[in-house]
PDB file of all heavy atoms in Angstrom:
ATOM      1  N   ALA A   1      -6.371   2.964   7.605  1.00  0.00           N
ATOM      2  CA  ALA A   1      -7.042   2.451   8.801  1.00  0.00           C
ATOM      3  C   ALA A   1      -6.660   0.993   9.052  1.00  0.00           C
ATOM      4  O   ALA A   1      -6.331   0.606  10.181  1.00  0.00           O
ATOM      5  CB  ALA A   1      -8.556   2.586   8.673  1.00  0.00           C
ATOM      6  N   ILE A   2      -6.664   0.183   8.008  1.00  0.00           N
ATOM      7  CA  ILE A   2      -6.317  -1.238   8.143  1.00  0.00           C
ATOM      8  C   ILE A   2      -4.842  -1.404   8.497  1.00  0.00           C
ATOM      9  O   ILE A   2      -4.486  -2.180   9.392  1.00  0.00           O
ATOM     10  CB  ILE A   2      -6.631  -2.007   6.839  1.00  0.00           C
ATOM     11  CG1 ILE A   2      -8.133  -1.945   6.532  1.00  0.00           C
ATOM     12  CG2 ILE A   2      -6.151  -3.451   6.922  1.00  0.00           C
ATOM     13  CD1 ILE A   2      -9.004  -2.512   7.619  1.00  0.00           C
ATOM     14  N   THR A   3      -3.984  -0.679   7.822  1.00  0.00           N
ATOM     15  CA  THR A   3      -2.539  -0.796   8.067  1.00  0.00           C
ATOM     16  C   THR A   3      -2.189  -0.442   9.509  1.00  0.00           C
ATOM     17  O   THR A   3      -1.434  -1.166  10.166  1.00  0.00           O
ATOM     18  CB  THR A   3      -1.762   0.107   7.090  1.00  0.00           C
ATOM     19  OG1 THR A   3      -2.049  -0.312   5.751  1.00  0.00           O
ATOM     20  CG2 THR A   3      -0.263   0.034   7.332  1.00  0.00           C
ATOM     21  N   GLU A   4      -2.736   0.647   9.999  1.00  0.00           N
ATOM     22  CA  GLU A   4      -2.450   1.060  11.377  1.00  0.00           C
ATOM     23  C   GLU A   4      -3.049   0.093  12.389  1.00  0.00           C
ATOM     24  O   GLU A   4      -2.425  -0.224  13.399  1.00  0.00           O
ATOM     25  CB  GLU A   4      -2.944   2.478  11.631  1.00  0.00           C
ATOM     26  CG  GLU A   4      -2.095   3.532  10.972  1.00  0.00           C
ATOM     27  CD  GLU A   4      -0.643   3.516  11.446  1.00  0.00           C
ATOM     28  OE1 GLU A   4      -0.400   3.447  12.668  1.00  0.00           O
ATOM     29  OE2 GLU A   4       0.249   3.556  10.586  1.00  0.00           O
ATOM     30  N   THR A   5      -4.257  -0.379  12.131  1.00  0.00           N
ATOM     31  CA  THR A   5      -4.894  -1.339  13.044  1.00  0.00           C
ATOM     32  C   THR A   5      -4.088  -2.622  13.122  1.00  0.00           C
ATOM     33  O   THR A   5      -3.902  -3.190  14.204  1.00  0.00           O
ATOM     34  CB  THR A   5      -6.333  -1.640  12.586  1.00  0.00           C
ATOM     35  OG1 THR A   5      -7.073  -0.411  12.541  1.00  0.00           O
ATOM     36  CG2 THR A   5      -7.019  -2.601  13.546  1.00  0.00           C
ATOM     37  N   ALA A   6      -3.581  -3.081  11.993  1.00  0.00           N
ATOM     38  CA  ALA A   6      -2.826  -4.340  11.940  1.00  0.00           C
ATOM     39  C   ALA A   6      -1.521  -4.280  12.722  1.00  0.00           C
ATOM     40  O   ALA A   6      -0.942  -5.321  13.040  1.00  0.00           O
ATOM     41  CB  ALA A   6      -2.543  -4.710  10.485  1.00  0.00           C
ATOM     42  N   ARG A   7      -1.076  -3.092  13.081  1.00  0.00           N
ATOM     43  CA  ARG A   7       0.150  -2.973  13.885  1.00  0.00           C
ATOM     44  C   ARG A   7      -0.054  -3.515  15.298  1.00  0.00           C
ATOM     45  O   ARG A   7       0.897  -3.954  15.939  1.00  0.00           O
ATOM     46  CB  ARG A   7       0.610  -1.522  13.935  1.00  0.00           C
ATOM     47  CG  ARG A   7       1.037  -1.015  12.554  1.00  0.00           C
ATOM     48  CD  ARG A   7       1.415   0.424  12.576  1.00  0.00           C
ATOM     49  NE  ARG A   7       2.737   0.522  13.200  1.00  0.00           N
ATOM     50  CZ  ARG A   7       3.356   1.651  13.443  1.00  0.00           C
ATOM     51  NH1 ARG A   7       2.771   2.791  13.146  1.00  0.00           N
ATOM     52  NH2 ARG A   7       4.544   1.657  13.990  1.00  0.00           N
ATOM     53  N   THR A   8      -1.294  -3.469  15.793  1.00  0.00           N
ATOM     54  CA  THR A   8      -1.566  -3.929  17.163  1.00  0.00           C
ATOM     55  C   THR A   8      -2.637  -5.002  17.260  1.00  0.00           C
ATOM     56  O   THR A   8      -2.777  -5.633  18.301  1.00  0.00           O
ATOM     57  CB  THR A   8      -1.992  -2.743  18.062  1.00  0.00           C
ATOM     58  OG1 THR A   8      -3.135  -2.110  17.485  1.00  0.00           O
ATOM     59  CG2 THR A   8      -0.854  -1.745  18.216  1.00  0.00           C
ATOM     60  N   VAL A   9      -3.394  -5.219  16.199  1.00  0.00           N
ATOM     61  CA  VAL A   9      -4.470  -6.210  16.205  1.00  0.00           C
ATOM     62  C   VAL A   9      -4.125  -7.318  15.213  1.00  0.00           C
ATOM     63  O   VAL A   9      -3.786  -7.042  14.061  1.00  0.00           O
ATOM     64  CB  VAL A   9      -5.822  -5.561  15.817  1.00  0.00           C
ATOM     65  CG1 VAL A   9      -6.911  -6.603  15.671  1.00  0.00           C
ATOM     66  CG2 VAL A   9      -6.209  -4.500  16.829  1.00  0.00           C
ATOM     67  N   LYS A  10      -4.224  -8.567  15.662  1.00  0.00           N
ATOM     68  CA  LYS A  10      -3.917  -9.715  14.798  1.00  0.00           C
ATOM     69  C   LYS A  10      -5.209 -10.387  14.336  1.00  0.00           C
ATOM     70  O   LYS A  10      -6.265 -10.220  14.935  1.00  0.00           O
ATOM     71  CB  LYS A  10      -3.050 -10.726  15.553  1.00  0.00           C
ATOM     72  CG  LYS A  10      -1.756 -10.134  16.078  1.00  0.00           C
ATOM     73  CD  LYS A  10      -0.927  -9.517  14.974  1.00  0.00           C
ATOM     74  CE  LYS A  10       0.304  -8.832  15.505  1.00  0.00           C
ATOM     75  NZ  LYS A  10       0.744  -7.736  14.698  1.00  0.00           N
ATOM     76  N   ASP A  11      -5.099 -11.170  13.292  1.00  0.00           N
ATOM     77  CA  ASP A  11      -6.228 -11.952  12.746  1.00  0.00           C
ATOM     78  C   ASP A  11      -7.395 -11.086  12.281  1.00  0.00           C
ATOM     79  O   ASP A  11      -8.560 -11.409  12.512  1.00  0.00           O
ATOM     80  CB  ASP A  11      -6.730 -12.993  13.749  1.00  0.00           C
ATOM     81  CG  ASP A  11      -5.803 -14.173  13.875  1.00  0.00           C
ATOM     82  OD1 ASP A  11      -5.093 -14.484  12.893  1.00  0.00           O
ATOM     83  OD2 ASP A  11      -5.784 -14.804  14.953  1.00  0.00           O
ATOM     84  N   ILE A  12      -7.116  -9.970  11.607  1.00  0.00           N
ATOM     85  CA  ILE A  12      -8.189  -9.160  11.029  1.00  0.00           C
ATOM     86  C   ILE A  12      -8.856  -9.976   9.936  1.00  0.00           C
ATOM     87  O   ILE A  12      -8.192 -10.537   9.073  1.00  0.00           O
ATOM     88  CB  ILE A  12      -7.647  -7.832  10.459  1.00  0.00           C
ATOM     89  CG1 ILE A  12      -7.104  -6.960  11.585  1.00  0.00           C
ATOM     90  CG2 ILE A  12      -8.737  -7.098   9.676  1.00  0.00           C
ATOM     91  CD1 ILE A  12      -6.415  -5.694  11.115  1.00  0.00           C
ATOM     92  N   ARG A  13     -10.184 -10.055   9.994  1.00  0.00           N
ATOM     93  CA  ARG A  13     -10.926 -10.875   9.036  1.00  0.00           C
ATOM     94  C   ARG A  13     -11.734 -10.059   8.036  1.00  0.00           C
ATOM     95  O   ARG A  13     -11.829 -10.421   6.873  1.00  0.00           O
ATOM     96  CB  ARG A  13     -11.862 -11.842   9.776  1.00  0.00           C
ATOM     97  CG  ARG A  13     -11.137 -12.821  10.681  1.00  0.00           C
ATOM     98  CD  ARG A  13     -10.206 -13.714   9.855  1.00  0.00           C
ATOM     99  NE  ARG A  13      -9.431 -14.593  10.685  1.00  0.00           N
ATOM    100  CZ  ARG A  13      -9.741 -15.860  10.944  1.00  0.00           C
ATOM    101  NH1 ARG A  13     -10.824 -16.389  10.429  1.00  0.00           N
ATOM    102  NH2 ARG A  13      -8.962 -16.585  11.711  1.00  0.00           N
ATOM    103  N   THR A  14     -12.374  -8.978   8.509  1.00  0.00           N
ATOM    104  CA  THR A  14     -13.177  -8.162   7.599  1.00  0.00           C
ATOM    105  C   THR A  14     -13.014  -6.682   7.943  1.00  0.00           C
ATOM    106  O   THR A  14     -12.649  -6.329   9.057  1.00  0.00           O
ATOM    107  CB  THR A  14     -14.691  -8.502   7.668  1.00  0.00           C
ATOM    108  OG1 THR A  14     -15.183  -8.214   8.974  1.00  0.00           O
ATOM    109  CG2 THR A  14     -14.949  -9.945   7.306  1.00  0.00           C
ATOM    110  N   ALA A  15     -13.296  -5.861   6.946  1.00  0.00           N
ATOM    111  CA  ALA A  15     -13.313  -4.410   7.139  1.00  0.00           C
ATOM    112  C   ALA A  15     -14.518  -3.870   6.378  1.00  0.00           C
ATOM    113  O   ALA A  15     -14.636  -4.076   5.172  1.00  0.00           O
ATOM    114  CB  ALA A  15     -12.025  -3.783   6.622  1.00  0.00           C
ATOM    115  N   GLU A  16     -15.402  -3.209   7.093  1.00  0.00           N
ATOM    116  CA  GLU A  16     -16.622  -2.671   6.497  1.00  0.00           C
ATOM    117  C   GLU A  16     -16.573  -1.145   6.595  1.00  0.00           C
ATOM    118  O   GLU A  16     -16.423  -0.595   7.686  1.00  0.00           O
ATOM    119  CB  GLU A  16     -17.833  -3.204   7.257  1.00  0.00           C
ATOM    120  CG  GLU A  16     -19.148  -2.689   6.760  1.00  0.00           C
ATOM    121  CD  GLU A  16     -20.320  -3.219   7.577  1.00  0.00           C
ATOM    122  OE1 GLU A  16     -20.109  -3.990   8.525  1.00  0.00           O
ATOM    123  OE2 GLU A  16     -21.451  -2.831   7.264  1.00  0.00           O
ATOM    124  N   VAL A  17     -16.689  -0.482   5.462  1.00  0.00           N
ATOM    125  CA  VAL A  17     -16.692   0.982   5.465  1.00  0.00           C
ATOM    126  C   VAL A  17     -18.078   1.434   5.928  1.00  0.00           C
ATOM    127  O   VAL A  17     -19.087   1.147   5.292  1.00  0.00           O
ATOM    128  CB  VAL A  17     -16.360   1.550   4.071  1.00  0.00           C
ATOM    129  CG1 VAL A  17     -16.454   3.072   4.083  1.00  0.00           C
ATOM    130  CG2 VAL A  17     -14.981   1.098   3.628  1.00  0.00           C
ATOM    131  N   MET A  18     -18.100   2.114   7.064  1.00  0.00           N
ATOM    132  CA  MET A  18     -19.353   2.544   7.672  1.00  0.00           C
ATOM    133  C   MET A  18     -19.764   3.941   7.211  1.00  0.00           C
ATOM    134  O   MET A  18     -20.942   4.231   7.063  1.00  0.00           O
ATOM    135  CB  MET A  18     -19.227   2.537   9.199  1.00  0.00           C
ATOM    136  CG  MET A  18     -18.779   1.212   9.777  1.00  0.00           C
ATOM    137  SD  MET A  18     -19.921  -0.136   9.421  1.00  0.00           S
ATOM    138  CE  MET A  18     -21.296   0.333  10.442  1.00  0.00           C
ATOM    139  N   LYS A  19     -18.760   4.797   7.002  1.00  0.00           N
ATOM    140  CA  LYS A  19     -19.046   6.192   6.684  1.00  0.00           C
ATOM    141  C   LYS A  19     -17.832   6.805   6.005  1.00  0.00           C
ATOM    142  O   LYS A  19     -16.700   6.435   6.305  1.00  0.00           O
ATOM    143  CB  LYS A  19     -19.343   6.931   7.993  1.00  0.00           C
ATOM    144  CG  LYS A  19     -19.764   8.358   7.874  1.00  0.00           C
ATOM    145  CD  LYS A  19     -20.086   8.927   9.258  1.00  0.00           C
ATOM    146  CE  LYS A  19     -20.473  10.370   9.169  1.00  0.00           C
ATOM    147  NZ  LYS A  19     -20.739  10.942  10.488  1.00  0.00           N
ATOM    148  N   MET A  20     -18.080   7.743   5.102  1.00  0.00           N
ATOM    149  CA  MET A  20     -16.997   8.475   4.462  1.00  0.00           C
ATOM    150  C   MET A  20     -17.279   9.972   4.585  1.00  0.00           C
ATOM    151  O   MET A  20     -18.422  10.391   4.445  1.00  0.00           O
ATOM    152  CB  MET A  20     -16.869   8.089   2.989  1.00  0.00           C
ATOM    153  CG  MET A  20     -16.436   6.652   2.784  1.00  0.00           C
ATOM    154  SD  MET A  20     -16.055   6.221   1.079  1.00  0.00           S
ATOM    155  CE  MET A  20     -17.642   6.370   0.297  1.00  0.00           C
ATOM    156  N   ASN A  21     -16.224  10.738   4.864  1.00  0.00           N
ATOM    157  CA  ASN A  21     -16.322  12.188   4.982  1.00  0.00           C
ATOM    158  C   ASN A  21     -15.214  12.829   4.165  1.00  0.00           C
ATOM    159  O   ASN A  21     -14.155  12.241   3.994  1.00  0.00           O
ATOM    160  CB  ASN A  21     -16.130  12.638   6.439  1.00  0.00           C
ATOM    161  CG  ASN A  21     -17.159  12.076   7.364  1.00  0.00           C
ATOM    162  OD1 ASN A  21     -18.346  12.134   7.094  1.00  0.00           O
ATOM    163  ND2 ASN A  21     -16.702  11.512   8.470  1.00  0.00           N
ATOM    164  N   ALA A  22     -15.462  14.034   3.720  1.00  0.00           N
ATOM    165  CA  ALA A  22     -14.423  14.811   3.045  1.00  0.00           C
ATOM    166  C   ALA A  22     -14.301  16.150   3.758  1.00  0.00           C
ATOM    167  O   ALA A  22     -15.305  16.832   3.993  1.00  0.00           O
ATOM    168  CB  ALA A  22     -14.767  15.025   1.576  1.00  0.00           C
ATOM    169  N   ILE A  23     -13.086  16.517   4.109  1.00  0.00           N
ATOM    170  CA  ILE A  23     -12.822  17.814   4.714  1.00  0.00           C
ATOM    171  C   ILE A  23     -12.542  18.789   3.577  1.00  0.00           C
ATOM    172  O   ILE A  23     -11.687  18.527   2.715  1.00  0.00           O
ATOM    173  CB  ILE A  23     -11.613  17.750   5.683  1.00  0.00           C
ATOM    174  CG1 ILE A  23     -11.824  16.656   6.737  1.00  0.00           C
ATOM    175  CG2 ILE A  23     -11.357  19.102   6.319  1.00  0.00           C
ATOM    176  CD1 ILE A  23     -13.050  16.832   7.596  1.00  0.00           C
ATOM    177  N   VAL A  24     -13.257  19.904   3.564  1.00  0.00           N
ATOM    178  CA  VAL A  24     -13.190  20.868   2.454  1.00  0.00           C
ATOM    179  C   VAL A  24     -12.628  22.195   2.961  1.00  0.00           C
ATOM    180  O   VAL A  24     -12.993  22.671   4.033  1.00  0.00           O
ATOM    181  CB  VAL A  24     -14.588  21.083   1.837  1.00  0.00           C
ATOM    182  CG1 VAL A  24     -14.542  22.117   0.724  1.00  0.00           C
ATOM    183  CG2 VAL A  24     -15.156  19.761   1.334  1.00  0.00           C
ATOM    184  N   ASN A  25     -11.736  22.761   2.142  1.00  0.00           N
ATOM    185  CA  ASN A  25     -11.162  24.074   2.442  1.00  0.00           C
ATOM    186  C   ASN A  25     -11.060  24.832   1.125  1.00  0.00           C
ATOM    187  O   ASN A  25     -10.498  24.327   0.159  1.00  0.00           O
ATOM    188  CB  ASN A  25      -9.786  23.922   3.099  1.00  0.00           C
ATOM    189  CG  ASN A  25      -9.238  25.229   3.619  1.00  0.00           C
ATOM    190  OD1 ASN A  25      -9.874  26.271   3.514  1.00  0.00           O
ATOM    191  ND2 ASN A  25      -8.047  25.167   4.180  1.00  0.00           N
ATOM    192  N   SER A  26     -11.617  26.033   1.061  1.00  0.00           N
ATOM    193  CA  SER A  26     -11.616  26.854  -0.168  1.00  0.00           C
ATOM    194  C   SER A  26     -12.173  26.082  -1.360  1.00  0.00           C
ATOM    195  O   SER A  26     -11.600  26.059  -2.453  1.00  0.00           O
ATOM    196  CB  SER A  26     -10.202  27.362  -0.471  1.00  0.00           C
ATOM    197  OG  SER A  26      -9.726  28.164   0.574  1.00  0.00           O
ATOM    198  N   ASP A  27     -13.287  25.397  -1.131  1.00  0.00           N
ATOM    199  CA  ASP A  27     -14.002  24.654  -2.170  1.00  0.00           C
ATOM    200  C   ASP A  27     -13.222  23.464  -2.734  1.00  0.00           C
ATOM    201  O   ASP A  27     -13.524  22.978  -3.822  1.00  0.00           O
ATOM    202  CB  ASP A  27     -14.437  25.570  -3.318  1.00  0.00           C
ATOM    203  CG  ASP A  27     -15.389  26.658  -2.865  1.00  0.00           C
ATOM    204  OD1 ASP A  27     -16.147  26.408  -1.899  1.00  0.00           O
ATOM    205  OD2 ASP A  27     -15.373  27.755  -3.448  1.00  0.00           O
ATOM    206  N   LYS A  28     -12.205  22.989  -2.028  1.00  0.00           N
ATOM    207  CA  LYS A  28     -11.424  21.833  -2.482  1.00  0.00           C
ATOM    208  C   LYS A  28     -11.323  20.823  -1.348  1.00  0.00           C
ATOM    209  O   LYS A  28     -11.183  21.193  -0.182  1.00  0.00           O
ATOM    210  CB  LYS A  28     -10.028  22.249  -2.918  1.00  0.00           C
ATOM    211  CG  LYS A  28     -10.045  23.140  -4.132  1.00  0.00           C
ATOM    212  CD  LYS A  28      -8.685  23.262  -4.728  1.00  0.00           C
ATOM    213  CE  LYS A  28      -8.825  24.182  -5.944  1.00  0.00           C
ATOM    214  NZ  LYS A  28      -7.876  23.928  -6.955  1.00  0.00           N
ATOM    215  N   ILE A  29     -11.360  19.554  -1.725  1.00  0.00           N
ATOM    216  CA  ILE A  29     -11.187  18.498  -0.730  1.00  0.00           C
ATOM    217  C   ILE A  29      -9.718  18.481  -0.311  1.00  0.00           C
ATOM    218  O   ILE A  29      -8.828  18.378  -1.149  1.00  0.00           O
ATOM    219  CB  ILE A  29     -11.600  17.129  -1.287  1.00  0.00           C
ATOM    220  CG1 ILE A  29     -13.099  17.115  -1.578  1.00  0.00           C
ATOM    221  CG2 ILE A  29     -11.237  16.018  -0.295  1.00  0.00           C
ATOM    222  CD1 ILE A  29     -13.592  15.856  -2.272  1.00  0.00           C
TER     223      ILE A  29
END
């Protein structure tokens, strides 16, 4: 997320993880 954002946005100062999800298929992430 940070790497891709930095391609078009300059002067990134902070990154706060708001939410995490896991996509599951056949009982595996």
Side-chain angles (χ1 to χ4, degrees):
I2 298 301
T3 300
E4 287 300 313
T5 302
R7 295 177 75 183
T8 57
V9 174
K10 303 303 175 209
D11 285 332
I12 294 174
R13 299 298 176 97
T14 63
E16 178 182 0
V17 177
M18 305 299 290
K19 185 177 178 182
M20 294 188 294
N21 299 311
I23 305 300
V24 178
N25 189 1
S26 299
D27 299 330
K28 295 194 180 208
I29 295 174

